[in-house]
Amino acid sequence: MTLPKKNFWRNLIIFLSVMGPGIITANVDNDAGGITTYSVAGAHFGYSLIWSFIPIIIALVIIQEMCSRMAVVTGKGLADLIREEFGVKVTFYAMIVLIFSNLFNTISEFAGIAASAELFGINKFILVPLCAIFIWWLIVKGTYKSVEKIFLLACLFYLSYVLSGFLSKPNWKEVAQSSIRPALHFDKAYLFMLIGVIGTTIAPWMQFYQQSSVVEKGIKIEDYKFARWDVIIGAFVVNAIAIFIVVVCASTLFKHGIRIETAKDAAEALRPLAGDYCFYLFAFGLFNASIFSACILPLSTAYSVCEGMGWEVGVNRRFRQAPQFYTLYTLIIAIGAAVILLPNVKLVPIMLISQATNGILLPFVLIFMLLLINNKRLMGNFTNSKIYNILTIIVIVAMITLSIFLFFATLGVHA
């Protein structure tokens, strides 16, 4: 009787040592842009879009699991493998697009920091530079283990949205029914919102960061099943948080017919309806998500570009050991923060460019991944099964289609 208990504690310890890359990568998906999307979805459409998070979970697990598996089996990052298998020229152009995409995404995260500063009555010219310095210091002076612990702590702070969800006192029976009963409407606004909710699930930076972080963590093949659980738990947690954001706004703003455009609008509108505690929890969640994502996106870019170019990478290396890695990381943070401090900066064109570059790069990244994961020379016995390949192709086609529709829909809305 004691053996199963010993195995349980042993497995738990191994899982805790492996845990990190999957959960962290997934949670960054709930960044300032994601929170805005979910807030607007709840405020404008109530609970009617909650069902869409089930296919989102499936898509996220399938794509990120492949990244984790490639990292464990090959010991190399995704950009590294693309360069080795498809050549330097292809990798170079992919990295150029990724740099622009992540740069504009990082600017959006600093916009989220600036918005949360206003919610707390803090001058953005004070908070944004302080956050930029903290983000830079955290990576440049830290080690992978210390940085990962801080990132996991940041994931815990997403629970502020769970608390605000309960404070908003939703109809839980209606929430449960909406999660399993698709409520499709074919008007333009609903379809655009549906595309937005699903289309923000998988961005190119996620695959590069997930695989690089698994490599730097040094997870072994014998512990891979625990890394898979890290991916699965991450996908469920990030979507549970997203559902709570929708629930908060649906049970308060939608109920009272209040329209919003940003997460900042949502927090301000919640105050008179759900009280100060709900307001502060929602505002804090926006700040945490923004600063967390502003750490990860430049780091993902530095990992990807340096791997693709064959340069030294890794948080465990010092500046003199990986100068290109830290220089690129520093530049993206500096530019992201500086742009938000410019007077009358227009965020809509930034979001459009970000969406466009994501839409251009995502199909190539997912196709490269499918080719790499089925390469026997690289993966040995860890290639995809036929069923897994079919599921992956369905997800890839769906994500590519959604990215294209989201881009053109966004153009149409903001034209």
Side-chain angles (χ1 to χ4, degrees):
M1 292 294 291
T2 57
L3 187 59
K5 188 177 285 188
K6 284 182 179 178
N7 285 340
F8 170 79
W9 288 111
R10 175 182 171 275
N11 289 342
L12 180 61
I13 291 168
I14 295 172
F15 171 73
L16 291 175
S17 68
V18 166
M19 179 186 74
I23 292 172
I24 289 168
T25 305
N27 272 281
V28 180
D29 206 28
N30 282 347
D31 61 356
I35 292 168
T36 295
T37 301
Y38 305 137
S39 298
V40 173
H44 294 191
F45 301 97
Y47 303 130
S48 65
L49 284 159
I50 289 178
W51 65 269
S52 65
F53 289 100
I54 293 175
I56 286 172
I57 290 170
I58 295 169
L60 197 55
V61 168
I62 287 174
I63 298 299
Q64 299 309 118
E65 187 276 335
M66 289 198 300
C67 288
S68 189
R69 187 163 18 124
M70 281 194 288
V72 171
V73 173
T74 66
K76 295 176 180 179
L78 182 55
D80 206 352
L81 290 177
I82 291 173
R83 174 173 53 83
E84 289 182 1
E85 297 299 317
F86 302 103
V88 175
K89 187 181 289 186
V90 170
T91 310
F92 175 79
Y93 289 121
M95 293 303 102
I96 291 294
V97 177
L98 186 70
I99 287 172
F100 277 101
S101 175
N102 284 1
L103 176 59
F104 291 119
N105 280 323
T106 303
I107 293 168
S108 298
E109 307 312 335
F110 278 105
I113 293 172
S116 58
E118 291 177 22
L119 290 170
F120 286 110
I122 303 170
N123 191 313
K124 73 174 184 179
F125 291 97
I126 296 173
L127 189 62
V128 169
L130 284 176
C131 289
I133 292 167
F134 168 74
I135 291 165
W136 179 86
W137 172 85
L138 176 66
I139 302 301
V140 173
K141 299 299 181 183
T143 63
Y144 182 83
K145 284 186 177 180
S146 65
V147 168
E148 185 181 64
K149 287 175 184 175
I150 293 170
F151 286 167
L152 286 170
L153 181 64
C155 292
L156 284 176
F157 288 136
Y158 279 97
L159 291 174
S160 63
Y161 287 115
V162 176
L163 296 174
S164 62
F166 283 104
L167 287 173
S168 67
K169 299 177 182 177
N171 184 332
W172 290 112
K173 183 180 178 181
E174 196 176 340
V175 172
Q177 288 174 342
S178 298
S179 65
I180 58 174
R181 187 179 60 200
L184 280 170
H185 306 288
F186 292 98
D187 59 278
K188 183 180 177 181
Y190 180 89
L191 290 175
F192 172 68
M193 198 71 254
L194 176 62
I195 291 167
V197 168
I198 301 176
T200 55
T201 306
I202 299 176
W205 71 263
M206 294 175 70
Q207 289 81 66
F208 289 103
Y209 179 79
Q210 166 101 16
Q211 194 157 330
S212 297
S213 58
V214 170
V215 170
E216 186 156 17
K217 193 174 177 73
I219 299 171
K220 306 299 181 186
I221 290 179
E222 55 267 27
D223 296 328
Y224 176 64
K225 63 180 180 180
F226 302 104
R228 184 188 290 121
W229 275 108
D230 179 44
V231 170
I232 294 169
I233 291 171
F236 274 90
V237 169
V238 70
N239 284 285
I241 300 299
I243 289 170
F244 270 99
I245 295 170
V246 173
V247 165
V248 171
C249 296
S251 59
T252 52
L253 309 185
F254 179 76
K255 186 178 176 182
H256 290 84
I258 296 173
R259 312 286 285 183
I260 61 169
E261 291 186 4
T262 67
K264 180 191 169 190
D265 296 342
E268 289 174 331
L270 282 171
R271 195 169 205 164
L273 299 174
D276 284 346
Y277 286 125
C278 192
F279 162 77
Y280 283 120
L281 285 168
F282 204 92
F284 175 75
L286 174 62
F287 172 73
N288 175 69
S290 299
I291 198 168
F292 182 30
S293 302
C295 285
I296 297 287
L297 284 163
L299 188 57
S300 169
T301 312
Y303 270 127
S304 306
V305 173
C306 293
E307 282 176 4
M309 296 296 102
W311 297 328
E312 292 294 327
V313 301
V315 180
N316 283 328
R317 289 180 168 83
R318 299 296 89 200
F319 204 108
R320 65 180 180 276
Q321 297 171 310
Q324 296 94 341
F325 177 82
Y326 285 109
T327 299
L328 185 56
Y329 178 76
T330 302
L331 280 173
I332 291 176
I333 291 172
I335 295 170
V339 168
I340 290 305
L341 297 178
L342 293 172
N344 303 318
V345 62
K346 303 291 185 183
L347 286 179
V348 170
I350 291 171
M351 291 169 63
L352 282 174
I353 294 170
S354 172
Q355 187 59 50
T357 51
N358 278 341
I360 291 167
L361 189 57
L362 184 63
F364 295 102
V365 173
L366 296 181
I367 291 167
F368 285 149
M369 283 175 56
L370 191 61
L371 293 172
L372 290 167
I373 200 80
N374 285 293
N375 187 326
K376 271 277 189 185
R377 178 174 50 80
L378 288 175
M379 299 298 296
N381 295 324
F382 290 88
T383 54
N384 281 355
S385 64
K386 286 184 179 179
I387 294 174
Y388 207 98
N389 272 334
I390 292 169
L391 288 172
T392 304
I393 291 168
I394 291 170
V395 169
I396 288 173
V397 171
M399 291 309 303
I400 291 170
T401 305
L402 285 168
S403 293
I404 293 168
F405 273 116
L406 181 59
F407 170 58
F408 285 108
T410 306
L411 268 182
V413 168
H414 295 290

